[in-house]
Amino acid sequence: MTDTVTNPRVAPTTFPRPAQAVDALGLTPAGIESEAVLRRRRLLVLVLNSTTLAVLLLGLAHVLGAGGWSAADVVIAVAFLFGAPWTVLGFWNAAIGLWLLHGRRDGLAEVAPFAVWGEEGQPLTLRTAVLMTLRNEDPARAFRRLRAVKESLDATGEGVWFDYFVLSDTNDPQVAAAEEALASAWTREIGEPARLTYRRRSDNAGFKAGNVRDFCERWGDRYELMLPLDADSVMSGESILSMARMMQAYPKLGILQSLVVGMPSRSAFARIFQFGMRQGMRPYTMGSAWWGGDCGPFWGHNALVRVAPFREHCHLPVLPGKAPLGGAILSHDQVEAVLMRRAGYEVRVLPVEAGSYEENPPTLLDYVKRDLRWCLGNLQYLKLMGLAGLKPMSRFQLAWAVLMFLGLPAWTLMIALVPLKVVEDHALAGYPAGVAIGLYCVFLAMYLSPKLAGFLDILISKGAVARYGGLPRFLSSMAIELVFAFLQGAVSSFRTTVFMIGLVFGRSRIGWNGQARDAHALSFATAFAGLWPHLLFGAYLFATLAVLSPSVLLWSLPMTAGYVLAIPFAMLTALPALGAWLERRGLCGIPEDFETPPVLAAIAQAEELRDEPPLRAAA
């Protein structure tokens, strides 16, 4: 394919405030908000989290110390210090987010004052490359999504500012041939060869990050911005255009991450999962953006990235040592975010639902597989903590990403020691059972707080419940999702624990390949092969607690039922029939299920016509 580009090169709009005034006013590099205000917010969040964690730890020490401290008590206390901080921060992020959404006149203006520049009327002058990265994915499916993005952008009248790149790392010859045929057919249809470039690498060096890096080196000087998309990513033209205007207004805004939500799905697992994520992400992201500010997250896709500083400053180091922790970095996105911030550019998240979508894994096993890749990638950050020049907030982000996964085996260890604690405390006079139960209930509530805050946000927002199909459907969906969350959480945390134990002994490996996207059933053999350790662990807990203390077993069910139910849970939520049943009744639906946006409607229509030429001939 030709690499020539026909769009005009126009100088970007100048910053609305003189650059020299930014330092004089004590603002962040892009001039978006006050550095002093951000410091005060971060100090407040530190105090809130430290105080809450200290209170919880004191309560736990009171319970564990009844009758003297044993070795098991010490282990549980230490494990709590690894497992609890993520939950505590999640609670305060959700609380702050809910306060901003409903306790402030304009909470979004406090979190994202740059958003005002996304309004219509600002002429676009920046050229953007829309990138879709592929590796052994269903080509027709991926191209349908990229086509929908292009058509949506063209409908805004500003499509001339966007070119499209399909960056393939596919090593399956049949899939590669289908990709090439689809790209050629689409290029002929467009009639402008420069608008679409297809490139396939002969190897997967550096994984997805290496794929994007290759684009930056070969074509990056032609574009001010790039928009990375995964094979399952979709964004509306209005959303992309709005974010491009924000990037144009602030030349020191290096990465602008959209709030990515799930797409309508025929999979029961994905449907229930993304219903809960939809609620939890909204207040959580709003709260974290309030104090994270210029050191925001980057999720690797559905975000606008300024090409020049990314190419110059965001080179990923090759980690020393052998795999799995050495070599190329798997979870590249957060590392690129902290490197962008180190270079003097802000990384921001736009914490509103605004036409940015992805597809979630269709089964529990597919979800766990993806989660383990993230786990390994985040653990690699342990080798990056000494990077020179990082902002303190950036170092915290890397450490926090590691702690997110280190906390999971810590919780598993605490649960595994429950039968031993029952034996130690069964004859203890004056055991503080009330404190133990209260502490347990408080922590469960904090664990669920992001999604509970999201549910409350919908219930108290005018007209919001109607977007979810009405109050009865929304309340029923809430109940389904809460049960689902406990079961899924137990399965995921235990599988991560087993994986991390394997890492210690050099037995865990993760590859980078195509992912399952469509709803499909799981056989008993497949589910058993992946989840038999969960059943074994659950059998140990249920058998011992049933004998030692049936009441403790009953109290533990929210945290432990997922172990013994892992196999039937995985099989049930993978059933296409269950997904169809939920869809017919409007349960666990998201707003896009009840009113489909044009960009998603275009994909749905293409799915129905997928056997029509030219796609049929190309695929």
Side-chain angles (χ1 to χ4, degrees), residues 379-426:
L379 291 179
Q380 290 179 306
Y381 296 169
L382 289 168
K383 295 191 173 187
L384 297 171
M385 298 306 298
L387 278 176
L390 294 186
K391 299 290 182 180
M393 183 66 188
S394 296
R395 294 192 193 281
F396 169 80
Q397 287 173 308
L398 294 178
W400 203 250
V402 174
L403 188 61
M404 176 176 67
F405 285 102
L406 288 181
L408 298 180
W411 281 115
T412 303
L413 178 60
M414 283 188 276
I415 292 172
L417 291 175
V418 168
L420 178 58
K421 283 301 300 171
V422 171
V423 172
E424 289 182 349
D425 299 340
H426 77 284

Short mmCIF file of all heavy atoms in Angstrom, two decimals, residues 379-426:
data_model
loop_
_atom_site.label_atom_id
_atom_site.label_comp_id
_atom_site.label_asym_id
_atom_site.label_seq_id
_atom_site.Cartn_x
_atom_site.Cartn_y
_atom_site.Cartn_z
N LEU A 379 3.36 -7.03 37.40
CA LEU A 379 4.45 -7.47 38.27
C LEU A 379 5.81 -7.06 37.70
O LEU A 379 6.77 -6.87 38.45
CB LEU A 379 4.39 -8.98 38.47
CG LEU A 379 3.21 -9.50 39.29
CD1 LEU A 379 3.26 -11.02 39.39
CD2 LEU A 379 3.18 -8.89 40.69
N GLN A 380 5.90 -6.90 36.39
CA GLN A 380 7.15 -6.44 35.79
C GLN A 380 7.52 -5.03 36.24
O GLN A 380 8.69 -4.64 36.17
CB GLN A 380 7.06 -6.48 34.27
CG GLN A 380 7.03 -7.88 33.67
CD GLN A 380 6.90 -7.84 32.16
OE1 GLN A 380 5.98 -7.22 31.62
NE2 GLN A 380 7.82 -8.49 31.47
N TYR A 381 6.53 -4.29 36.72
CA TYR A 381 6.80 -2.92 37.18
C TYR A 381 7.76 -2.91 38.37
O TYR A 381 8.35 -1.86 38.67
CB TYR A 381 5.51 -2.21 37.58
CG TYR A 381 4.52 -1.99 36.46
CD1 TYR A 381 3.22 -1.57 36.72
CD2 TYR A 381 4.87 -2.19 35.13
CE1 TYR A 381 2.30 -1.35 35.70
CE2 TYR A 381 3.97 -1.99 34.11
CZ TYR A 381 2.68 -1.57 34.39
OH TYR A 381 1.78 -1.37 33.39
N LEU A 382 7.89 -4.04 39.05
CA LEU A 382 8.84 -4.10 40.17
C LEU A 382 10.25 -3.75 39.71
O LEU A 382 11.05 -3.22 40.48
CB LEU A 382 8.83 -5.50 40.79
CG LEU A 382 7.56 -5.88 41.58
CD1 LEU A 382 7.56 -7.36 41.89
CD2 LEU A 382 7.47 -5.06 42.86
N LYS A 383 10.55 -4.03 38.45
CA LYS A 383 11.88 -3.73 37.91
C LYS A 383 11.99 -2.31 37.37
O LYS A 383 13.04 -1.93 36.86
CB LYS A 383 12.22 -4.74 36.81
CG LYS A 383 12.35 -6.17 37.30
CD LYS A 383 12.95 -7.07 36.23
CE LYS A 383 13.23 -8.46 36.79
NZ LYS A 383 13.96 -9.32 35.84
N LEU A 384 10.90 -1.55 37.46
CA LEU A 384 10.89 -0.20 36.91
C LEU A 384 10.81 0.87 38.00
O LEU A 384 10.78 2.06 37.67
CB LEU A 384 9.71 -0.03 35.95
CG LEU A 384 9.72 -0.91 34.71
CD1 LEU A 384 8.39 -0.80 33.97
CD2 LEU A 384 10.87 -0.53 33.79
N MET A 385 10.74 0.45 39.24
CA MET A 385 10.56 1.42 40.31
C MET A 385 11.74 2.39 40.44
O MET A 385 11.59 3.48 40.97
CB MET A 385 10.34 0.70 41.65
CG MET A 385 9.09 -0.17 41.67
SD MET A 385 7.60 0.71 41.21
CE MET A 385 7.52 1.93 42.51
N GLY A 386 12.89 1.99 39.94
CA GLY A 386 14.06 2.86 40.04
C GLY A 386 14.30 3.75 38.85
O GLY A 386 15.35 4.40 38.76
N LEU A 387 13.34 3.82 37.91
CA LEU A 387 13.51 4.69 36.75
C LEU A 387 13.77 6.13 37.19
O LEU A 387 13.06 6.66 38.03
CB LEU A 387 12.26 4.64 35.87
CG LEU A 387 12.12 3.48 34.89
CD1 LEU A 387 10.78 3.55 34.17
CD2 LEU A 387 13.25 3.48 33.87
N ALA A 388 14.76 6.74 36.61
CA ALA A 388 15.14 8.09 37.01
C ALA A 388 14.14 9.12 36.50
O ALA A 388 13.57 8.98 35.41
CB ALA A 388 16.53 8.42 36.46
N GLY A 389 13.92 10.15 37.33
CA GLY A 389 13.15 11.31 36.90
C GLY A 389 11.64 11.18 36.98
O GLY A 389 10.93 12.10 36.58
N LEU A 390 11.11 10.07 37.49
CA LEU A 390 9.67 9.91 37.58
C LEU A 390 9.08 10.80 38.66
O LEU A 390 9.71 11.04 39.70
CB LEU A 390 9.29 8.46 37.88
CG LEU A 390 9.60 7.40 36.83
CD1 LEU A 390 9.03 6.06 37.26
CD2 LEU A 390 9.08 7.80 35.46
N LYS A 391 7.89 11.29 38.43
CA LYS A 391 7.16 12.04 39.44
C LYS A 391 6.79 11.11 40.60
O LYS A 391 6.55 9.92 40.39
CB LYS A 391 5.90 12.66 38.86
CG LYS A 391 6.13 13.64 37.71
CD LYS A 391 6.78 14.91 38.22
CE LYS A 391 6.96 15.91 37.09
NZ LYS A 391 7.60 17.16 37.57
N PRO A 392 6.73 11.63 41.84
CA PRO A 392 6.30 10.78 42.96
C PRO A 392 4.96 10.11 42.70
O PRO A 392 4.75 8.95 43.03
CB PRO A 392 6.22 11.77 44.13
CG PRO A 392 7.19 12.84 43.77
CD PRO A 392 7.12 12.98 42.29
N MET A 393 4.02 10.86 42.08
CA MET A 393 2.73 10.28 41.78
C MET A 393 2.86 9.14 40.76
O MET A 393 2.15 8.13 40.85
CB MET A 393 1.81 11.37 41.22
CG MET A 393 0.40 10.91 40.94
SD MET A 393 -0.50 10.46 42.43
CE MET A 393 -1.98 9.76 41.68
N SER A 394 3.79 9.26 39.84
CA SER A 394 4.00 8.20 38.86
C SER A 394 4.56 6.95 39.52
O SER A 394 4.16 5.83 39.18
CB SER A 394 4.94 8.69 37.76
OG SER A 394 4.37 9.76 37.03
N ARG A 395 5.50 7.12 40.44
CA ARG A 395 6.02 5.95 41.16
C ARG A 395 4.90 5.27 41.96
O ARG A 395 4.84 4.04 42.04
CB ARG A 395 7.16 6.36 42.09
CG ARG A 395 8.39 6.85 41.36
CD ARG A 395 9.59 6.98 42.29
NE ARG A 395 10.65 7.73 41.66
CZ ARG A 395 11.49 7.25 40.76
NH1 ARG A 395 11.40 5.97 40.42
NH2 ARG A 395 12.44 8.02 40.22
N PHE A 396 4.04 6.09 42.55
CA PHE A 396 2.91 5.53 43.28
C PHE A 396 2.03 4.71 42.35
O PHE A 396 1.56 3.63 42.70
CB PHE A 396 2.10 6.65 43.93
CG PHE A 396 0.78 6.19 44.49
CD1 PHE A 396 0.71 5.56 45.72
CD2 PHE A 396 -0.39 6.38 43.76
CE1 PHE A 396 -0.51 5.12 46.22
CE2 PHE A 396 -1.61 5.96 44.26
CZ PHE A 396 -1.67 5.32 45.49
N GLN A 397 1.79 5.21 41.13
CA GLN A 397 0.94 4.49 40.19
C GLN A 397 1.52 3.13 39.85
O GLN A 397 0.79 2.13 39.77
CB GLN A 397 0.75 5.33 38.92
CG GLN A 397 -0.17 6.53 39.11
CD GLN A 397 -0.19 7.40 37.86
OE1 GLN A 397 0.85 7.80 37.35
NE2 GLN A 397 -1.38 7.69 37.37
N LEU A 398 2.82 3.06 39.63
CA LEU A 398 3.46 1.78 39.33
C LEU A 398 3.36 0.84 40.52
O LEU A 398 3.04 -0.35 40.37
CB LEU A 398 4.91 1.99 38.92
CG LEU A 398 5.16 2.74 37.60
CD1 LEU A 398 6.65 2.90 37.37
CD2 LEU A 398 4.51 2.02 36.43
N ALA A 399 3.66 1.37 41.71
CA ALA A 399 3.59 0.52 42.91
C ALA A 399 2.16 0.04 43.16
O ALA A 399 1.94 -1.10 43.56
CB ALA A 399 4.11 1.30 44.12
N TRP A 400 1.21 0.92 42.91
CA TRP A 400 -0.19 0.56 43.15
C TRP A 400 -0.65 -0.52 42.17
O TRP A 400 -1.43 -1.40 42.53
CB TRP A 400 -1.07 1.81 43.03
CG TRP A 400 -2.36 1.67 43.77
CD1 TRP A 400 -3.60 1.55 43.25
CD2 TRP A 400 -2.52 1.65 45.18
NE1 TRP A 400 -4.53 1.45 44.25
CE2 TRP A 400 -3.89 1.50 45.45
CE3 TRP A 400 -1.62 1.72 46.26
CZ2 TRP A 400 -4.40 1.42 46.74
CZ3 TRP A 400 -2.13 1.65 47.55
CH2 TRP A 400 -3.49 1.52 47.77
N ALA A 401 -0.17 -0.45 40.94
CA ALA A 401 -0.51 -1.47 39.96
C ALA A 401 0.03 -2.83 40.36
O ALA A 401 -0.61 -3.87 40.14
CB ALA A 401 0.03 -1.07 38.58
N VAL A 402 1.19 -2.85 40.98
CA VAL A 402 1.75 -4.10 41.49
C VAL A 402 0.93 -4.60 42.67
O VAL A 402 0.59 -5.78 42.77
CB VAL A 402 3.22 -3.91 41.90
CG1 VAL A 402 3.76 -5.16 42.57
CG2 VAL A 402 4.07 -3.55 40.68
N LEU A 403 0.60 -3.69 43.58
CA LEU A 403 -0.12 -4.07 44.79
C LEU A 403 -1.51 -4.62 44.46
O LEU A 403 -2.03 -5.47 45.19
CB LEU A 403 -0.24 -2.87 45.73
CG LEU A 403 -0.81 -3.14 47.13
CD1 LEU A 403 0.09 -4.11 47.88
CD2 LEU A 403 -0.95 -1.84 47.91
N MET A 404 -2.10 -4.16 43.37
CA MET A 404 -3.42 -4.65 42.98
C MET A 404 -3.42 -6.16 42.85
O MET A 404 -4.37 -6.84 43.25
CB MET A 404 -3.85 -4.01 41.67
CG MET A 404 -5.17 -4.53 41.12
SD MET A 404 -5.72 -3.68 39.62
CE MET A 404 -4.46 -4.20 38.46
N PHE A 405 -2.33 -6.72 42.31
CA PHE A 405 -2.27 -8.17 42.13
C PHE A 405 -1.61 -8.87 43.32
O PHE A 405 -1.96 -10.01 43.62
CB PHE A 405 -1.54 -8.50 40.83
CG PHE A 405 -2.38 -8.23 39.61
CD1 PHE A 405 -2.19 -7.10 38.85
CD2 PHE A 405 -3.38 -9.12 39.24
CE1 PHE A 405 -2.97 -6.84 37.73
CE2 PHE A 405 -4.18 -8.88 38.13
CZ PHE A 405 -3.98 -7.74 37.37
N LEU A 406 -0.68 -8.21 43.99
CA LEU A 406 -0.10 -8.83 45.19
C LEU A 406 -1.16 -9.02 46.28
O LEU A 406 -1.05 -9.92 47.11
CB LEU A 406 1.05 -7.97 45.74
CG LEU A 406 2.35 -7.96 44.94
CD1 LEU A 406 3.38 -7.09 45.64
CD2 LEU A 406 2.89 -9.38 44.75
N GLY A 407 -2.17 -8.16 46.28
CA GLY A 407 -3.22 -8.28 47.29
C GLY A 407 -4.08 -9.52 47.13
O GLY A 407 -4.68 -9.99 48.10
N LEU A 408 -4.15 -10.08 45.92
CA LEU A 408 -5.02 -11.23 45.69
C LEU A 408 -4.53 -12.50 46.40
O LEU A 408 -5.31 -13.16 47.09
CB LEU A 408 -5.19 -11.46 44.19
CG LEU A 408 -5.85 -10.29 43.44
CD1 LEU A 408 -5.98 -10.62 41.96
CD2 LEU A 408 -7.22 -9.97 44.03
N PRO A 409 -3.26 -12.88 46.27
CA PRO A 409 -2.80 -14.03 47.07
C PRO A 409 -2.83 -13.75 48.56
O PRO A 409 -2.96 -14.68 49.37
CB PRO A 409 -1.37 -14.27 46.57
CG PRO A 409 -0.97 -13.04 45.88
CD PRO A 409 -2.21 -12.43 45.33
N ALA A 410 -2.71 -12.48 48.94
CA ALA A 410 -2.81 -12.14 50.37
C ALA A 410 -4.20 -12.49 50.90
O ALA A 410 -4.34 -13.08 51.99
CB ALA A 410 -2.50 -10.66 50.58
N TRP A 411 -5.24 -12.14 50.13
CA TRP A 411 -6.61 -12.48 50.55
C TRP A 411 -6.81 -14.00 50.56
O TRP A 411 -7.47 -14.55 51.45
CB TRP A 411 -7.63 -11.82 49.63
CG TRP A 411 -7.85 -10.39 49.94
CD1 TRP A 411 -7.55 -9.32 49.16
CD2 TRP A 411 -8.40 -9.84 51.15
NE1 TRP A 411 -7.88 -8.15 49.79
CE2 TRP A 411 -8.40 -8.44 51.01
CE3 TRP A 411 -8.87 -10.41 52.33
CZ2 TRP A 411 -8.87 -7.60 52.01
CZ3 TRP A 411 -9.34 -9.58 53.32
CH2 TRP A 411 -9.33 -8.19 53.16
N THR A 412 -6.28 -14.68 49.56
CA THR A 412 -6.41 -16.14 49.51
C THR A 412 -5.75 -16.78 50.72
O THR A 412 -6.29 -17.74 51.31
CB THR A 412 -5.78 -16.68 48.22
OG1 THR A 412 -6.39 -16.05 47.08
CG2 THR A 412 -5.97 -18.17 48.11
N LEU A 413 -4.60 -16.26 51.13
CA LEU A 413 -3.91 -16.79 52.30
C LEU A 413 -4.74 -16.57 53.56
O LEU A 413 -4.86 -17.47 54.42
CB LEU A 413 -2.54 -16.12 52.43
CG LEU A 413 -1.70 -16.52 53.66
CD1 LEU A 413 -1.43 -18.01 53.66
CD2 LEU A 413 -0.40 -15.72 53.69
N MET A 414 -5.33 -15.39 53.69
CA MET A 414 -6.17 -15.12 54.86
C MET A 414 -7.35 -16.08 54.92
O MET A 414 -7.69 -16.62 55.99
CB MET A 414 -6.66 -13.67 54.84
CG MET A 414 -5.62 -12.66 55.26
SD MET A 414 -6.30 -10.99 55.43
CE MET A 414 -6.23 -10.44 53.74
N ILE A 415 -7.98 -16.32 53.77
CA ILE A 415 -9.13 -17.23 53.74
C ILE A 415 -8.69 -18.65 54.06
O ILE A 415 -9.38 -19.39 54.77
CB ILE A 415 -9.81 -17.15 52.37
CG1 ILE A 415 -10.47 -15.78 52.20
CG2 ILE A 415 -10.85 -18.26 52.20
CD1 ILE A 415 -11.01 -15.51 50.81
N ALA A 416 -7.52 -19.05 53.56
CA ALA A 416 -7.02 -20.41 53.81
C ALA A 416 -6.76 -20.65 55.30
O ALA A 416 -6.84 -21.80 55.78
CB ALA A 416 -5.76 -20.65 53.01
N LEU A 417 -6.45 -19.58 56.04
CA LEU A 417 -6.14 -19.72 57.47
C LEU A 417 -7.38 -19.65 58.35
O LEU A 417 -7.26 -19.81 59.58
CB LEU A 417 -5.15 -18.64 57.89
CG LEU A 417 -3.73 -18.77 57.32
CD1 LEU A 417 -2.88 -17.57 57.71
CD2 LEU A 417 -3.07 -20.06 57.80
N VAL A 418 -8.54 -19.41 57.79
CA VAL A 418 -9.76 -19.31 58.61
C VAL A 418 -10.02 -20.58 59.41
O VAL A 418 -10.31 -20.49 60.63
CB VAL A 418 -10.97 -18.95 57.72
CG1 VAL A 418 -12.28 -19.13 58.49
CG2 VAL A 418 -10.86 -17.52 57.23
N PRO A 419 -9.95 -21.79 58.82
CA PRO A 419 -10.17 -22.99 59.66
C PRO A 419 -9.19 -23.09 60.83
O PRO A 419 -9.59 -23.50 61.94
CB PRO A 419 -9.97 -24.14 58.67
CG PRO A 419 -10.31 -23.56 57.34
CD PRO A 419 -9.79 -22.16 57.41
N LEU A 420 -7.94 -22.72 60.61
CA LEU A 420 -6.97 -22.76 61.71
C LEU A 420 -7.36 -21.78 62.80
O LEU A 420 -7.25 -22.10 64.01
CB LEU A 420 -5.57 -22.43 61.17
CG LEU A 420 -4.45 -22.37 62.20
CD1 LEU A 420 -4.32 -23.69 62.95
CD2 LEU A 420 -3.12 -22.00 61.52
N LYS A 421 -7.83 -20.59 62.43
CA LYS A 421 -8.26 -19.62 63.43
C LYS A 421 -9.47 -20.11 64.20
O LYS A 421 -9.61 -19.83 65.40
CB LYS A 421 -8.57 -18.27 62.76
CG LYS A 421 -7.36 -17.46 62.38
CD LYS A 421 -6.49 -17.14 63.60
CE LYS A 421 -7.25 -16.35 64.65
NZ LYS A 421 -6.49 -16.22 65.91
N VAL A 422 -10.37 -20.82 63.53
CA VAL A 422 -11.53 -21.39 64.24
C VAL A 422 -11.06 -22.36 65.30
O VAL A 422 -11.58 -22.38 66.43
CB VAL A 422 -12.48 -22.06 63.23
CG1 VAL A 422 -13.56 -22.84 63.97
CG2 VAL A 422 -13.12 -21.02 62.31
N VAL A 423 -10.07 -23.19 64.95
CA VAL A 423 -9.54 -24.15 65.93
C VAL A 423 -8.89 -23.41 67.10
O VAL A 423 -9.08 -23.78 68.28
CB VAL A 423 -8.52 -25.08 65.24
CG1 VAL A 423 -7.81 -25.95 66.29
CG2 VAL A 423 -9.22 -25.97 64.22
N GLU A 424 -8.11 -22.37 66.79
CA GLU A 424 -7.42 -21.64 67.85
C GLU A 424 -8.38 -20.91 68.79
O GLU A 424 -8.11 -20.79 69.99
CB GLU A 424 -6.45 -20.63 67.24
CG GLU A 424 -5.23 -21.25 66.57
CD GLU A 424 -4.27 -20.19 66.02
OE1 GLU A 424 -4.65 -19.01 65.98
OE2 GLU A 424 -3.15 -20.56 65.66
N ASP A 425 -9.50 -20.42 68.27
CA ASP A 425 -10.37 -19.54 69.04
C ASP A 425 -11.65 -20.20 69.53
O ASP A 425 -12.46 -19.53 70.18
CB ASP A 425 -10.75 -18.31 68.20
CG ASP A 425 -9.53 -17.49 67.81
OD1 ASP A 425 -8.47 -17.63 68.45
OD2 ASP A 425 -9.63 -16.72 66.83
N HIS A 426 -11.87 -21.50 69.25
CA HIS A 426 -13.18 -22.09 69.51
C HIS A 426 -13.54 -22.10 70.99
O HIS A 426 -14.71 -21.99 71.35
CB HIS A 426 -13.25 -23.51 68.94
CG HIS A 426 -12.53 -24.54 69.75
ND1 HIS A 426 -11.16 -24.68 69.75
CD2 HIS A 426 -13.02 -25.47 70.61
CE1 HIS A 426 -10.82 -25.66 70.55
NE2 HIS A 426 -11.91 -26.16 71.10
#
